[in-house]
Amino acid sequence: GAVVSQHPSWVICKSGTSVKIECRSLDFQATTMFWYRQFPKQSLMLMATSNEGSKATYEQGVEKDKFLINHASLTLSTLTVTSAHPEDSSFYICSAIRAASGMLDTQYFGPGTRLTVL
Amino acid sequence: TQLLEQSPQFLSIQEGENLTVYCNSSSVFSSLQWYRQEPGEGPVLLVTVVTGGEVKKLKRLTFQFGDARKDSSLHITAAQPGDTGLYLCAGNTGNQFYFGTGTSLTVIP
């Protein structure tokens, strides 16, 4: 168990458009989901922490109006990149924590979404 | 400033060689994890260590948690091309979860 999916796996869009990325916990409930951004051969950079039913907590330097996060249910969080620009091109990864555990170190990662903005 | 520094950042070795990756911090962690990530995929958990001085083995991989729970190492014996990937350590302080800077390993056949 503990499978996390992301959709889409790869998206190409024009500059100025908005893109929505979904993160789903398929076989467990997740009270908390995390969104990360990653550049090639670099580590993951935490963008925001998403808690079900409440506003996301953004890391310093991450524009909340640019990266809209919604965690409407215990199995789904979405990241919307608004008015995307080429510098937003990156690999976006989500992770989820089981509702039962509440332990930070039991994160289950999605397969990632590659965003390319032309 | 990264809380967890990994070294080396890049490593390219021949098949069959041994290697060690280090993960260092000045902070104390309640637990530390190691992940491997392949291009275009999410990180996959390899191991979690929680006790200072703990050593865990996973086939050819040996993980050690420092006595003071501030650092860790990953040793790979007789590396194989399938070990190629990005290795990430990650520490949990109880309130926060931090990823290391990453080590990109390439094993040449």
Side-chain angles (χ1 to χ4, degrees):
Chain A
V3 178
V4 176
S5 71
Q6 283 184 238
H7 178 80
S9 57
W10 193 3
V11 55
I12 302 172
C13 69
K14 291 183 178 180
S15 185
T17 61
S18 294
V19 175
K20 179 185 284 188
I21 302 171
E22 293 184 348
C23 176
R24 293 182 185 272
S25 55
L26 298 184
D27 52 1
F28 66 99
Q29 293 186 327
T31 50
T32 301
M33 290 184 173
F34 300 92
W35 285 97
Y36 296 87
R37 183 173 180 175
Q38 186 179 33
F39 294 103
K41 295 196 174 183
Q42 293 187 24
S43 188
L44 280 66
M45 294 169 45
L46 180 65
M47 298 175 66
T49 302
S50 169
N51 293 298
E52 186 267 337
S54 63
K55 290 184 178 181
T57 302
Y58 291 82
E59 294 299 301
Q60 191 172 9
V62 178
E63 299 176 58
K64 60 179 67 175
D65 294 331
K66 172 77 171 174
F67 299 98
L68 300 178
I69 292 173
N70 183 276
H71 193 158
S73 77
L74 285 173
T75 59
L76 173 65
S77 176
T78 61
L79 167 67
T80 301
V81 183
T82 62
S83 186
H85 288 92
E87 58 265 30
D88 298 324
S89 298
S90 190
F91 194 54
Y92 293 87
I93 303 174
C94 72
S95 70
I97 295 177
R98 288 178 186 269
S101 75
M103 294 174 61
L104 278 178
D105 57 6
T106 314
Q107 288 192 41
Y108 300 95
F109 286 87
T113 296
R114 178 158 305 285
L115 170 63
T116 301
V117 185
L118 302 177
Chain B
T1 303
Q2 284 278 9
L3 197 67
L4 278 166
E5 294 285 342
Q6 285 183 237
S7 61
Q9 185 178 359
F10 297 98
L11 187 57
S12 182
I13 61 171
Q14 294 289 331
E15 182 176 0
E17 293 183 356
N18 302 331
L19 66 114
T20 302
V21 177
Y22 298 94
C23 174
N24 295 306
S25 176
S26 57
S27 297
V28 177
F29 298 101
S30 58
S31 68
L32 191 140
Q33 293 78 43
W34 283 94
Y35 294 84
R36 180 170 67 215
Q37 184 183 23
E38 299 192 16
E41 298 181 12
V44 175
L45 179 67
L46 296 174
V47 76
T48 298
V49 286
V50 296
T51 305
E54 182 177 4
V55 176
K56 282 191 173 179
K57 290 192 175 184
L58 183 66
K59 296 184 180 178
R60 294 176 294 99
L61 278 62
T62 302
F63 306 86
Q64 184 163 8
F65 201 13
D67 292 341
R69 290 185 287 130
K70 294 182 178 181
D71 52 77
S72 181
S73 64
L74 158 61
H75 183 78
I76 300 179
T77 304
Q80 299 177 1
D83 297 326
T84 294
L86 180 67
Y87 288 81
L88 298 162
C89 65
N92 172 21
T93 63
N95 296 318
Q96 292 276 43
F97 190 82
Y98 299 93
F99 272 97
T101 48
T103 295
S104 179
L105 171 65
T106 302
V107 182
I108 303 167

